[in-house]
Amino acid sequence: MSIPEPATSDIALDTPEEKHSHIWFGVICALVAAVGYTCANIALRQSARPGNLEWSMWITAHKAIPATLLTWTLVLNNYRKGRPAFPPKGLLLPLIATGFLMQFGGNMMFQFALGLIGLAMTVPMTFAMILTAGAVSSRLFLGEPITLRTLLAMSILMFAVSILSMGAGEASESILKTASRADILLGILSAMISGTCYGLSGTVIRRNVKNLPVSATLFLISTTGTVAMTTAAFLSNPLEDLLATTPKEVVIMQLAGIFNAMAFYAIGTAYRHLAVTQTNMLNTTQIAMASVAGVVVFAEPMTIWLILGVVFTMIGLYLMERR
């Protein structure tokens, strides 16, 4: 059973009811993406090796495989049925460049940060930059408005991110107490770089999925991850180290990839129906999910900061522009 693709032209809806249903579909996709990314991040956290950038490349390469298989399956299915399947030639290089930005700047640096400062601290730091970079780039390149209500919701969500980060200082104590100050700063910088690259990439995806099938936009980005990251991993790691990857590690990395593929396609669909800022704000729910996951899965302590952060996240989402 094939997964249906959205239409290839920008969404043109005649009635308020149709617009309302498509907006809610985008909301559901953004929340599905948040769940998928949360599950993927839990697996990625288990795979992380502190301070090992080369191993982060190997994990990122594995993570990209399921998304590549999914998007190529959809692309070839569209091609077989005579539907538009591939992006125009003029978009090939920009989408490949976006793939490099997302894979090396986004995924690899996120994985590297996980090994240095842990799950509960990396995700809030990353999202602080996703919200900022996404809002600015979508305003500059797509002309998407930032209303006063949106600014208020973003401010509350940023406050929630700050509170969750304060909570993460205690929740990640077992990691941070063994890390040097330089490692902690490097982890924070890596998470900020990752979030910036994710935010910029989201704007590019939003620009293209309005007029193309979602798979036609995403398959080059995921393929870049598989090819480029695998090549980089083999060039950076001794072959014996890569061959020593245990079956358990492979399973965990591929499990992360499966959840990532689900989330990647879902957020690509959400960008089709919602503005960049709206999608990113909905996706901030994974910050609270990651904090809870840190408590449940990794026995990190529940703190008042985590509780307040979750509450303010919900308030920010409630105030989000819903037009």
Side-chain angles (χ1 to χ4, degrees), residues 281-303:
M281 286 197 290
L282 285 166
N283 208 22
T284 57
T285 54
Q286 69 173 276
I287 301 175
M289 294 177 190
S291 298
V292 173
V295 172
V296 175
V297 179
F298 299 107
E300 296 172 349
M302 173 66 74
T303 67

Side-chain angles (χ1 to χ4, degrees), residues 1-3 5 60-78 86 103 214-216 218-227 230 250 253-262 264-265:
M1 180 178 179
S2 61
I3 301 174
E5 285 270 52
T60 304
H62 275 274
K63 187 181 75 171
I65 293 174
T68 302
L69 293 175
L70 172 63
T71 52
W72 270 101
T73 298
L74 295 172
V75 164
L76 295 176
N77 182 61
N78 283 341
F86 298 97
Q103 301 298 344
V214 175
S215 60
L218 301 185
F219 86 97
L220 282 175
I221 297 175
S222 56
T223 301
T224 300
T226 299
V227 176
T230 300
V250 172
M253 288 188 287
Q254 287 303 308
L255 190 61
I258 291 171
F259 284 118
N260 177 75
M262 175 189 77
F264 193 36
Y265 189 84

Side-chain angles (χ1 to χ4, degrees), residues 30-58:
L31 294 176
V32 168
V35 174
Y37 281 132
T38 299
C39 295
N41 292 341
I42 292 172
L44 292 174
R45 167 69 177 83
Q46 291 179 316
S47 303
R49 293 183 181 178
N52 194 328
L53 184 63
E54 293 78 12
W55 181 254
S56 298
M57 294 179 185
W58 187 232

